Amino acid sequence: MATIFIKDLLLRTQVGFNPHELGKNQDLLLNISINYLTQGEELSDEPGEALDYREICKQIIALVEGNSFNLLEKVANDVADLILSIPRVQSVEIEVDKPHALRFARSVSFSLSKKTGQ
């Protein structure tokens, strides 16, 4: 089992349900841990055998920035489901951070862990 970490993926989307949030894009920071089965790429050094984290990021960006959400929980769940649809992925942990969501806090975040079959 191996892990890829995607750290501080900065995205903009409509997230929130309060009147002052509706129709406005806001920043989200995603931190993602992807646990997956290797295919020997750690020995062969063959890029074609590796999990394509660039393509995974493109899919996450399209999903998050192409939709609007009421809750951070929904963002995390949808991203986790997308990642779990990749055949070699066994589990994923994701934290969705919404900077400046509260006046006296740097951010608010929600984290979620999912495994295949959940």
Side-chain angles (χ1 to χ4, degrees):
M1 185 85 72
T3 305
I4 288 177
F5 297 96
I6 299 170
K7 299 179 182 182
D8 296 330
L9 179 61
L10 179 61
L11 305 176
R12 291 190 53 78
T13 192
Q14 293 182 33
V15 60
F17 54 87
N18 291 309
H20 69 278
E21 298 174 304
L22 298 176
K24 296 178 184 173
N25 282 344
Q26 297 182 61
D27 289 341
L28 293 180
L29 275 173
L30 278 64
N31 285 291
I32 304 166
S33 172
I34 303 169
N35 299 301
Y36 69 102
L37 300 173
T38 59
Q39 294 184 149
E41 63 269 27
E42 73 281 11
L43 301 174
S44 70
D45 200 27
E46 288 295 325
E49 294 176 356
L51 199 64
D52 189 346
Y53 54 81
R54 184 170 189 236
E55 180 59 33
I56 293 169
C57 280
K58 285 181 182 180
Q59 292 176 21
I60 293 168
I61 292 165
L63 171 69
V64 174
E65 293 190 344
N67 290 288
S68 60
F69 304 89
N70 288 324
L71 302 172
L72 299 178
E73 291 87 338
K74 178 68 171 159
V75 176
N77 186 72
D78 288 1
V79 172
D81 286 347
L82 174 108
I83 294 168
L84 286 173
S85 73
I86 300 165
R88 295 166 53 195
V89 173
Q90 301 296 300
S91 65
V92 63
E93 296 176 27
I94 179 167
E95 179 184 23
V96 179
D97 195 345
K98 185 176 177 183
H100 315 294
L102 296 173
R103 183 175 174 200
F104 295 108
R106 184 175 62 205
S107 68
V108 171
S109 68
F110 174 80
S111 85
L112 176 73
S113 298
K114 289 184 94 170
K115 296 179 182 178
T116 53
Q118 279 188 318

